[in-house]
Amino acid sequence: EYDVQVLAASQASKDLWGGAAAGAGGAQASAAMPILATVTERKELHTKASERSCIHAEIDIAGTGVTYETGDHVGVYAANPPELVSAALKRLDYDGKQVVRLTAKAGCKLPETIFEGKPVTVRDLFSHFLDIQSPPRKDALLALSQCATEEKEGRKLAFLASKEGKEEYSAYILDDMRSLLEVLESFPSCKPTLGVFAARVATKLQPRFYSISSSPLAHPASIHITCSVVQGKSPTGRDHKGVAGTWFSRSKVDGTSRVAIFVRRSNFKLPAEPETPIVMVGPGTGFAPFRGFLQERSEQRKMAAAQRQGAAHLYYGCRSQAKDFIYKDEIEAWKDDSVITDIEYAFSRDQAQKVYVQDRLRANGRQIYDLLFETSGPKACFYVCGDAKAMARGVNKCLHEIIQEHGSCSASVAE
């Protein structure tokens, strides 16, 4: 566990991220040493008719030394919702204003953290570094069982953490998506010390990764993010609020909303040769990296040396054209300017029978096959971004079917 040293209020760190003030982190910015950057633009991408929310945000990286390439990811350390933090502090009877320094006890090996050894307020510790909303792991329940003053509660928590309690753990914690805070409220006799809670109970708040939805050719001084706001009722009736989406939805553009970020390099890139055709399949927020691609192609078209470009085929989908068609004006403008060669839309809920991007691909199977295998010029690059569980699997299955049908081959050959 951690040793907890209580400090004077005046000793609280002004930089929670260890020298990560803008300009200090530079190109070395990483998950362990992010840089603080300011949100300069935020807007809702869905219409008022939509029951959901998707945020477009722009983060200023001018003067930070941070650079990015089209297709890269940005890691974001967003803060927990303040009301959630207040509830956790109240339940645990911690003083949020208290300034503390946490260091691993002698002989205790703990993973390195950004906050260790740094003077922070308890509220900042809970806001920026501890995950209090995810379902607790078994080792966290075991640690809590040892802090329970009521024997019945201790036995119940120990059972949930045991091999014998596997099924009940799955049902009570995982299936119900029961948060750590909910568990604490259900076992009120558990009073872990701050050192135990930060070391053994709460996991560390992890960065959220987003495909950067801009190109440095068009926006060298800013990183754009396209972020769905996850919110709704959990199986227990709890109001679940996604950490990063909620933070961005509440961010201000007056210079006061700053967030710790770093860039993670990606292999999701445009072809090295501009003449290579591309097929982009990106429904919903899966369109984010392709917005960067299309900004890049638009800028390249303005350069005399890169005017020859391969065709760009976009397969875009969402639930309703009138509700959640994000970046509609930009997409249509790129089509008018021939940055996009052709577009296939799949508005899944605008007709009686649902239509998805894989249905549009299947309808254009001959064209897709020719682009990938039969063209006399460069073979096309095929990109998919979005829901990995349903959409990506559906697209993969569809491609196999297209190859088998138009390539007259077996399933094993298609694979």
Side-chain angles (χ1 to χ4, degrees):
E1 65 183 273
Y2 289 112
D3 276 325
V4 180
Q5 180 185 7
V6 179
L7 306 171
S10 60
Q11 293 181 266
S13 176
K14 295 181 180 180
D15 177 15
L16 298 175
W17 303 97
Q28 290 75 42
S30 64
M33 184 70 75
I35 65 108
L36 278 175
T38 303
V39 175
T40 56
E41 179 66 37
R42 174 186 58 80
K43 63 181 179 181
E44 174 62 56
L45 293 174
H46 287 187
T47 67
K48 292 181 179 179
S50 175
E51 61 280 4
R52 299 178 301 139
S53 175
C54 183
I55 300 296
H56 168 86
E58 299 179 14
I59 300 172
D60 183 16
I61 57 170
T64 65
V66 168
T67 60
Y68 71 99
E69 297 176 0
T70 306
D72 283 346
H73 304 119
V74 60
V76 176
Y77 283 105
N80 282 311
E83 63 273 20
L84 190 69
V85 173
S86 295
L89 294 175
K90 182 179 180 180
R91 160 60 184 85
L92 292 163
D93 198 23
Y94 296 161
D95 180 0
K97 295 180 180 178
Q98 191 174 64
V99 178
V100 295
R101 178 186 285 119
L102 275 61
T103 53
K105 283 184 176 292
C108 181
K109 292 184 178 180
L110 293 172
E112 289 187 11
T113 62
I114 296 175
F115 63 78
E116 185 173 353
K118 189 173 300 178
V120 297
T121 66
V122 176
R123 174 169 280 276
D124 279 342
L125 179 67
F126 273 65
S127 295
H128 300 282
F129 302 114
L130 300 182
D131 186 346
I132 51 180
Q133 191 169 206
S134 294
R137 302 174 307 185
K138 284 193 171 187
D139 55 351
L141 298 181
L142 184 60
L144 284 176
S145 74
Q146 297 163 358
C147 302
T149 56
E150 290 288 338
E151 185 179 350
K152 184 178 179 181
E153 291 185 9
R155 286 200 309 268
K156 176 68 172 178
L157 286 164
F159 176 72
L160 287 169
S162 68
K163 289 183 179 179
E164 294 75 19
K166 180 180 178 181
E167 290 185 6
E168 192 160 344
Y169 173 81
S170 294
Y172 182 73
I173 300 293
L174 301 181
D175 294 347
D176 282 351
M177 295 175 59
R178 202 174 299 271
S179 71
L180 174 56
L181 181 54
E182 284 182 288
V183 171
L184 287 168
E185 290 172 341
S186 297
F187 296 87
S189 79
C190 293
K191 300 283 187 180
T193 64
L194 180 60
V196 168
F197 186 81
R200 299 178 58 198
V201 178
T203 56
K204 307 308 174 282
L205 200 57
Q206 297 299 308
R208 271 55 174 175
F209 288 98
Y210 295 93
S211 294
I212 296 176
S213 57
S214 55
S215 162
L217 286 185
H219 300 281
S222 65
I223 285 175
H224 296 188
I225 290 176
T226 306
C227 174
S228 289
V229 181
V230 178
Q231 54 189 2
K233 293 288 185 182
S234 73
T236 62
R238 168 176 59 91
D239 287 322
H240 177 80
K241 300 171 183 174
V243 174
T246 298
W247 189 89
F248 277 113
S249 71
R250 298 175 177 181
S251 63
K252 302 181 185 302
V253 295
D254 58 3
T256 61
S257 291
R258 304 181 76 204
V259 66
I261 66 164
F262 61 96
V263 170
R264 184 175 70 179
R265 301 302 176 189
S266 166
N267 293 323
F268 200 84
K269 304 295 183 188
L270 281 166
E273 300 298 328
E275 296 87 355
T276 302
I278 59 174
V279 179
M280 300 168 287
V281 183
T285 55
F287 176 69
F290 302 131
R291 181 175 183 263
F293 280 15
L294 294 167
Q295 285 183 1
E296 184 112 335
R297 282 173 59 91
S298 180
E299 293 300 313
Q300 287 175 342
R301 289 172 67 86
K302 300 172 185 176
M303 305 175 187
Q307 286 184 345
R308 293 180 59 193
Q309 289 183 328
H313 306 270
L314 175 64
Y315 286 76
Y316 174 83
C318 62
R319 291 185 181 183
S320 171
Q321 184 174 8
K323 294 181 178 181
D324 55 352
F325 186 174
I326 64 174
Y327 301 116
K328 177 178 183 290
D329 292 344
E330 293 182 14
I331 290 174
E332 292 177 346
W334 280 320
K335 178 64 172 68
D336 291 342
D337 293 341
S338 298
V339 176
I340 300 174
T341 307
D342 55 51
I343 307 174
E344 290 289 343
Y345 293 120
F347 302 115
S348 63
R349 302 188 183 185
D350 279 355
Q351 57 284 311
Q353 185 173 353
K354 291 182 180 179
V355 176
Y356 299 106
V357 286
Q358 51 266 42
D359 298 315
R360 298 304 189 200
L361 286 166
R362 191 175 289 106
N364 292 320
R366 179 78 256 178
Q367 180 194 44
I368 294 297
Y369 184 84
D370 289 347
L371 283 167
L372 294 174
F373 301 105
E374 295 294 336
T375 177
S376 59
K379 303 297 187 291
C381 287
F382 191 95
Y383 301 88
V384 184
C385 184
D387 175 21
K389 291 182 179 179
M391 183 276 298
R393 288 180 182 176
V395 169
N396 184 59
K397 181 175 181 291
C398 177
L399 274 180
H400 278 75
E401 293 170 355
I402 288 172
I403 293 169
Q404 289 178 64
E405 177 182 354
H406 299 284
S408 300
C409 64
S410 65
S412 59
V413 171
E415 180 65 34

